[in-house]
Amino acid sequence: MKYVRVWVQLVHCAFSSYASNRIDAGSYFLGKLIRFGFFWLFFISLFHYTDSFAGYTKWETLLFFVTFNLVDVLGQALFRGIYLFRNDIRKGNFDCILVKPLNSLFYILSRLTDILDILFLAPLGVALWYVVIHLPPLPAASFFLYALFLFVGLVIVLGIHILSAALTIWSMESEGMIWFYRDATAIGRFPPEIFSKPIQFVFTFCLPIIVMVAFPVKMMLGALPLFWAMMGCIIALVFLIGALVSWRVSVRRYSSASS
Amino acid sequence: MRPYISAFRMSLSEQVTYRFGFFFARLRGLFVLVTLFFVWSAVSMKTGFFAGYSREELMTYVFGAHILRSLVFGSQSRRIASEIHDGTFSLFLVRPVNHFLFYYARELSERLLLGFFAVLEVGIIVVFFDSTFLFPSHLSVFFFVFLSVFLSHMLYYCMSYGMSMLAFWSREAMGPRFLFEWILEFLSGAFFPVSIVATNVALVFLFFALPFIYLVFMPLTIYLERVPGNQLFLSFVWQGMWIAIVAGLLRALWRRGLRAYTGEGI
């Protein structure tokens, strides 16, 4: 309960900050909508010239795109605090976080909630509904499995953010790591079959973006074998444990040099 | 000239100081390039053609866009907004340097460095994926491409500098800039040839009536020799006209902005 109360308070603070910078907030939100709209337009335009993309129909391809946005936006909304962490290390403020009666990792990741991304979930929900009604009828279990694998995807997103925090302690320049992840996730906008096998391997086992985005979609479409579904869960778990171990090692190495 | 040469050199050394960050930034760009490479490979795989472009033309467009993004789209003028906000901009007002040119020198060094690396990256990807990069059939095309790229580089710098000047009136200049950058990336054709997306009258108007297509799409269309001779001249006229319009606006913004500037934060 304590963590819920802290999180709600942090969301309040974030909301006040966005409400006091209305031009910035409005522009960012509009920018996100425009980015989404242009990519949507791009996919629609592709299907003016072809009727399948790597074997997927227009609406199946759009399902990959909307799911990518969903996972990305949820990660941004919940773990936005990571972008402030580099400054904490540089200025020595991490010491103050370590002495708080809270899990430091929880505070680092959730201290900033992106209200705009939470708001952006509404148009995304509409887009998802619009795509799904254009797909052939799906059994109710498909939606449950989709939601389940979205959760698995979020576990991986959490792992990547923890790994990024751990790297930030090792090297203050590693803010690039989180931006690297942001750009690497771009591959999730498209069906994984368009990429070569080695690239698919890297993004399934090393930086599991394909598990994050493509697995929920394939579960919904009934196109993911049971073996790979279980493998996806194992990959997410191993990735999260690996990230947590890296974090612990990094915190032990933290020398508080800047404070 | 000396202050500008110094600004050029300082910016260059600043770029290579943080090597880890620089490496990650280039790797990020490479991801976008590889993703687009596979997207266009997938759509042109069946017939070797897509939307009026041959597979080789599409690949050349993707590689060319990667190089142009590095040569044209800059980030140095973003600093201007924060300098106006924290008051350090006042230092420029008492220095015997032209602010516009000073930042241009910084921008140019960044662009040339990143452009050099972009060419290397494209070379690596072409070899690694055994792809094709077309070369024009006439040497004169290189001259027209160079001219068009130079004009697009100037046009972007003027637009970007103008966006930063919003900071004279509002502390909230980063949001509008984020919006501007996404509109620009799409409408310029940095991700795909805009002619593929402009499938109806409204979209044709959206893409072709605005200056953004002159940043990436037009130089690459000239490179691919898809612009007829008479329209080539016209495209340079339009590019020049847009630069003149944006530069005129900049001048007006600068004058009014200086009147609004309070030096807050010094």
Side-chain angles (χ1 to χ4, degrees):
Chain A
M1 263 323 270
K2 180 175 84 172
Y3 283 93
V4 175
R5 266 191 288 126
V6 172
W7 187 75
V8 169
Q9 184 57 49
L10 290 168
V11 171
H12 267 284
C13 296
F15 184 79
S16 308
S17 164
Y18 281 105
S20 60
N21 297 298
R22 289 188 202 104
I23 298 174
D24 260 350
S27 306
Y28 275 120
F29 189 73
L30 200 59
K32 285 169 197 281
L33 272 178
I34 285 177
R35 180 175 55 185
F36 182 80
F38 273 124
F39 270 113
W40 182 281
L41 177 69
F42 167 68
F43 282 111
I44 297 287
S45 305
L46 277 190
F47 282 90
H48 271 114
Y49 305 97
T50 181
D51 47 12
S52 85
F53 182 51
Y56 291 95
T57 64
K58 177 163 79 175
W59 298 106
E60 287 168 347
T61 306
L62 280 168
L63 185 61
F64 279 100
F65 170 61
V66 175
T67 306
F68 155 78
N69 278 280
L70 210 54
V71 176
D72 188 47
V73 164
L74 279 170
Q76 290 303 303
L78 299 174
F79 313 128
R80 191 85 189 179
I82 188 70
Y83 295 88
L84 308 175
F85 189 50
R86 183 189 169 213
N87 239 6
D88 289 333
I89 296 292
R90 205 161 51 90
K91 293 183 176 171
N93 294 346
F94 186 44
D95 299 15
C96 307
I97 297 172
L98 284 173
V99 294
K100 281 186 202 294
L102 270 178
N103 181 308
S104 51
L105 197 52
F106 165 80
Y107 183 77
I108 288 162
L109 296 179
S110 60
R111 67 201 284 198
L112 182 66
T113 301
D114 197 327
I115 305 293
L116 300 177
D117 275 329
I118 289 181
L119 291 176
F120 195 62
L121 287 173
L124 271 184
V126 174
L128 183 61
W129 166 79
Y130 189 71
V131 169
V132 168
I133 60 166
H134 283 90
L135 291 171
L138 296 164
S142 299
F143 297 100
F144 170 74
L145 290 171
Y146 179 75
L148 183 72
F149 271 79
L150 272 187
F151 177 76
V152 170
L154 272 182
V155 169
I156 295 170
V157 174
L158 174 65
I160 289 170
H161 281 74
I162 294 171
L163 204 59
S164 176
L167 276 173
T168 305
I169 294 177
W170 284 73
S171 159
M172 282 193 294
E173 283 184 63
S174 73
E175 192 190 34
M177 165 72 190
I178 198 70
W179 287 109
F180 168 74
Y181 150 74
R182 292 292 304 277
D183 281 332
T185 53
I187 75 147
R189 284 193 180 103
F190 308 96
E193 284 78 4
I194 66 165
F195 298 101
S196 62
K197 293 286 176 206
I199 289 184
Q200 286 186 40
F201 179 86
V202 169
F203 287 104
T204 303
F205 293 101
C206 305
L207 190 62
I209 288 160
I210 289 177
V211 181
M212 266 164 55
V213 181
F215 278 30
V217 175
K218 289 187 173 191
M219 282 311 275
M220 187 189 258
L221 299 175
L224 193 69
L226 184 66
F227 169 77
W228 280 107
M230 288 174 65
M231 189 60 104
C233 296
I234 294 168
I235 289 169
L237 201 65
V238 169
F239 197 78
L240 182 65
I241 292 169
L244 283 169
V245 170
S246 314
W247 169 253
R248 285 199 179 172
V249 172
S250 295
V251 171
R252 248 179 254 147
R253 255 187 64 103
Y254 176 62
S255 61
S256 184
S258 322
S259 54
Chain B
M1 275 305 278
R2 209 178 293 166
Y4 308 110
I5 294 170
S6 299
F8 183 92
R9 280 190 190 150
M10 278 189 300
S11 175
L12 203 61
S13 59
E14 195 183 314
Q15 296 295 320
V16 293
T17 303
Y18 299 102
R19 290 189 195 107
F20 196 70
F22 185 82
F23 169 74
F24 262 121
R26 294 319 302 167
L27 209 56
R28 287 167 52 199
L30 214 54
F31 264 116
V32 178
L33 174 64
V34 170
T35 304
L36 290 174
F37 169 80
F38 279 107
V39 168
W40 294 116
S41 292
V43 293
S44 59
M45 194 177 283
K46 261 189 209 164
T47 59
F49 284 89
F50 186 80
Y53 286 86
S54 70
R55 183 183 165 86
E56 290 75 21
E57 283 177 323
L58 280 172
M59 292 303 134
T60 305
Y61 188 96
V62 168
F63 296 138
H66 182 71
I67 296 169
L68 280 195
R69 280 161 69 103
S70 296
L71 283 174
V72 175
F73 298 166
S75 63
Q76 289 294 318
S77 57
R78 276 185 201 165
R79 287 180 172 206
I80 300 168
S82 55
E83 284 176 356
I84 292 171
H85 287 156
D86 64 23
T88 45
F89 175 74
S90 303
L91 293 172
F92 285 100
L93 298 178
V94 292
R95 281 179 190 161
V97 290
N98 180 305
H99 188 260
F100 181 85
L101 292 178
F102 185 83
Y103 264 92
Y104 180 70
R106 296 185 65 94
E107 189 84 283
L108 185 64
S109 80
E110 187 189 67
R111 295 302 96 212
L112 291 178
L113 181 71
L114 298 187
F116 170 74
F117 276 94
V119 172
L120 274 184
E121 287 154 12
V122 164
I124 291 166
I125 295 293
V126 168
V127 172
F128 191 76
F129 290 112
D130 196 19
S131 188
T132 314
F133 189 92
L134 295 175
F135 287 95
S137 53
H138 304 288
L139 272 177
S140 60
V141 175
F142 282 105
F143 168 74
F144 294 123
V145 171
F146 176 79
L147 183 61
S148 184
V149 171
F150 176 72
L151 291 175
S152 61
H153 167 78
M154 291 305 298
L155 179 59
Y156 176 85
Y157 180 67
C158 290
M159 288 197 285
S160 176
Y161 191 87
M163 281 307 293
S164 295
M165 275 196 217
L166 291 180
F168 280 127
W169 293 275
S170 168
R171 295 196 71 80
E172 302 173 61
M174 291 317 285
R177 194 177 179 100
F178 173 80
L179 181 62
F180 162 77
E181 282 176 359
W182 271 107
I183 292 175
L184 185 140
E185 291 239 358
F186 276 98
L187 297 187
S188 64
F191 292 127
F192 41 76
V194 295
S195 54
I196 289 178
V197 182
T199 47
N200 63 42
V201 178
L203 288 171
V204 167
F205 181 80
L206 178 67
F207 283 104
F208 289 91
L210 294 170
F212 304 114
I213 59 155
Y214 296 101
L215 297 175
V216 176
F217 178 70
M218 197 49 83
L220 286 176
T221 309
I222 293 171
Y223 183 85
L224 292 171
E225 298 177 79
R226 293 172 73 97
V227 181
N230 54 341
Q231 285 181 28
L232 188 65
F233 175 71
L234 209 60
S235 81
F236 290 126
V237 171
W238 276 104
Q239 259 184 317
M241 196 195 71
W242 278 115
I243 291 173
I245 291 171
V246 178
L249 279 171
L250 267 189
R251 209 173 156 78
L253 279 173
W254 175 261
R255 283 187 185 162
R256 284 171 179 262
L258 282 186
R259 259 182 259 151
Y261 179 65
T262 56
E264 186 188 342
I266 308 170

